[in-house]
Amino acid sequence: MSYPKQALPSAPPMPHDGIAAAGQPIAMQPMPGGSPAPGGGWMGAHQQIQSNCPPGLEYLCQVDQLMVKQKVEGFEAITGFEMNNKYEIVNTMGQRIFYAVEDTCCCSRNCCGHHRPFDIKILNNQSKEVMHLSRGLRCSTCWCPCCLQKVTVEAPAGNIIGYVAQAWSICKPRYKIQNANEETVLRVKGPCCTWNMCGDIEFDVTTADEMSFVGCITKQWSGLVKEAFTDADNFGVSFPMDLDVNIKAVMMGAVFLIDFMYFENNQKKVKSKIPH
C-alpha cells in the first residue's frame, strides 16, 4: 500500500527539563492499561496497542511522526573533541517521549570519529532503557560491499527486533529495514548529495520492492550557525500509523546510523574554522 508524502513539521523548540515547549509538564509515556497523563499530552494507552509491542514502546503504536534532536555540546563545538552524543526524541508538540545517550569510549570517539562503533541507549522519561542500538566497527566505503554498516536494534536490551543494514550502492545512500529474521521489510533511499545549503535532506522510505512510498527520514536544516559550527542535527521521521511497532523502532535506529554516516563529522567543521 502506498502512502502520500506528508510534510514533517519543523523541529519544535527544545523543552527545558520537565517543561514542554508549550509550557505544559512533559508527559510520561503511557503504560499498558494506564490512563492518559495529566495535561492531555498523550493518547490513552488503551488505544491501538499492538499485541507484539515491546514494553516501553506503547506510544509508538499511536503516532506517525517523531522528531530526533541532537543536543549541542559546547565543549565539542569549540574544540572538536568528540563527546558522547545525546538526543531527545519528541512528538510534534515538542514533548519528550524518549531520550538517547551514546555509550562509547573516548578512544573510539576521537580516533575513529564518525566511523566509530557505538552503543546507544534509548530511555523513557523514567530513565529506564527501552531500546538498545549497537553498531560494530565496519568499513564505510562502497568499494567493500562485503562489510557494510549494520545496526542491531533491541527492545528491550537483549531482545533483537530488527536491523538497519546498509545496501551496496555507488551513488546514493541505501539501507534495508529488516525484521528480527533479517528479512527486508522496507528500504531507505537517500539523495546523491547529502549536503544542502539552507534546505532539508530527505531519505525516502519505500516498500521492500521499492514500488510504493511509505515514509520519510528528513535531516532538517537547523540554522546557519548550528550547521556550520556543530554536528548537532535535527531529524524528522514519518511512517504509517498502522506500521508494525517493531519496524517503527527500527526506523528510529536508521536515523542514528544516517546521522553518524553523513552528518556526524565535527572534526572537519572545527578545522574549517581554523585560519590557514
Side-chain angles (χ1 to χ4, degrees):
M1 183 176 181
S2 178
Y3 294 81
K5 277 196 175 185
Q6 55 181 328
L8 286 165
S10 299
M14 183 73 76
H16 301 289
D17 290 342
I19 302 296
Q24 297 292 333
I26 292 177
M28 311 306 283
Q29 182 178 344
M31 300 303 292
S35 58
W42 306 112
M43 290 175 276
H46 62 280
Q47 298 181 15
Q48 300 178 351
I49 298 301
Q50 298 174 14
S51 59
N52 64 338
C53 180
L57 300 186
E58 290 82 12
Y59 187 69
L60 291 184
C61 298
Q62 306 173 50
V63 294
D64 59 1
Q65 295 183 25
L66 292 173
M67 313 289 295
V68 179
K69 303 179 66 177
Q70 186 175 352
K71 301 185 71 174
V72 177
E73 297 287 349
F75 181 76
E76 179 179 316
I78 295 171
T79 65
F81 186 88
E82 283 287 348
M83 308 291 288
N84 276 321
N85 288 350
K86 300 180 180 67
Y87 304 82
E88 285 199 329
I89 301 167
V90 303
N91 62 14
T92 55
M93 296 181 291
Q95 294 175 311
R96 185 174 68 188
I97 307 168
F98 308 110
Y99 63 98
V101 292
E102 179 188 0
D103 183 17
T104 56
C105 70
C106 176
C107 181
S108 294
R109 293 196 307 272
N110 291 282
C111 293
C112 300
H114 64 292
H115 301 292
R116 65 188 181 266
F118 63 66
D119 284 279
I120 293 177
K121 299 178 180 179
I122 298 180
L123 306 100
N124 63 15
N125 285 328
Q126 290 82 37
S127 298
K128 180 180 179 180
E129 184 177 3
V130 295
M131 281 179 60
H132 189 95
L133 312 177
S134 55
R135 170 205 192 190
L137 182 61
R138 291 180 174 225
C139 182
S140 60
T141 175
C142 64
W143 304 115
C144 295
C146 60
C147 192
L148 298 174
Q149 298 293 313
K150 191 170 188 177
V151 168
T152 301
V153 183
E154 302 170 55
N159 178 47
I160 296 176
I161 61 170
Y163 303 88
V164 185
Q166 182 185 11
W168 185 81
S169 174
I170 295 178
C171 296
K172 294 184 177 181
R174 288 178 175 266
Y175 301 91
K176 295 178 287 187
I177 304 296
Q178 301 178 324
N179 61 20
N181 297 320
E182 299 190 71
E183 300 166 336
T184 299
V185 179
L186 301 173
R187 293 184 183 270
V188 180
K189 301 185 295 182
C192 288
C193 179
T194 55
W195 184 86
N196 187 7
M197 182 66 176
C198 302
D200 295 346
I201 302 167
E202 293 188 351
F203 294 75
D204 290 339
V205 182
T206 67
T207 53
D209 59 9
E210 301 188 23
M211 297 298 292
S212 302
F213 173 88
V214 297
C216 191
I217 295 172
T218 304
K219 194 274 180 187
Q220 299 180 335
W221 174 257
S222 52
L224 182 61
V225 173
K226 189 175 179 181
E227 294 283 343
F229 296 102
T230 77
D231 58 7
D233 301 303
N234 294 331
F235 289 86
V237 54
S238 65
F239 34 66
M241 182 76 75
D242 58 354
L243 184 67
D244 184 340
V245 65
N246 294 282
I247 302 303
K248 289 183 180 182
V250 177
M251 280 186 64
M252 283 175 51
V255 172
F256 295 94
L257 180 57
I258 289 171
D259 182 33
F260 270 82
M261 289 190 66
Y262 301 105
F263 307 107
E264 179 71 17
N265 199 348
N266 201 45
Q267 294 289 345
K268 284 187 178 180
K269 295 185 178 182
V270 171
K271 289 178 182 178
S272 68
K273 295 183 288 181
I274 301 175
H276 297 283

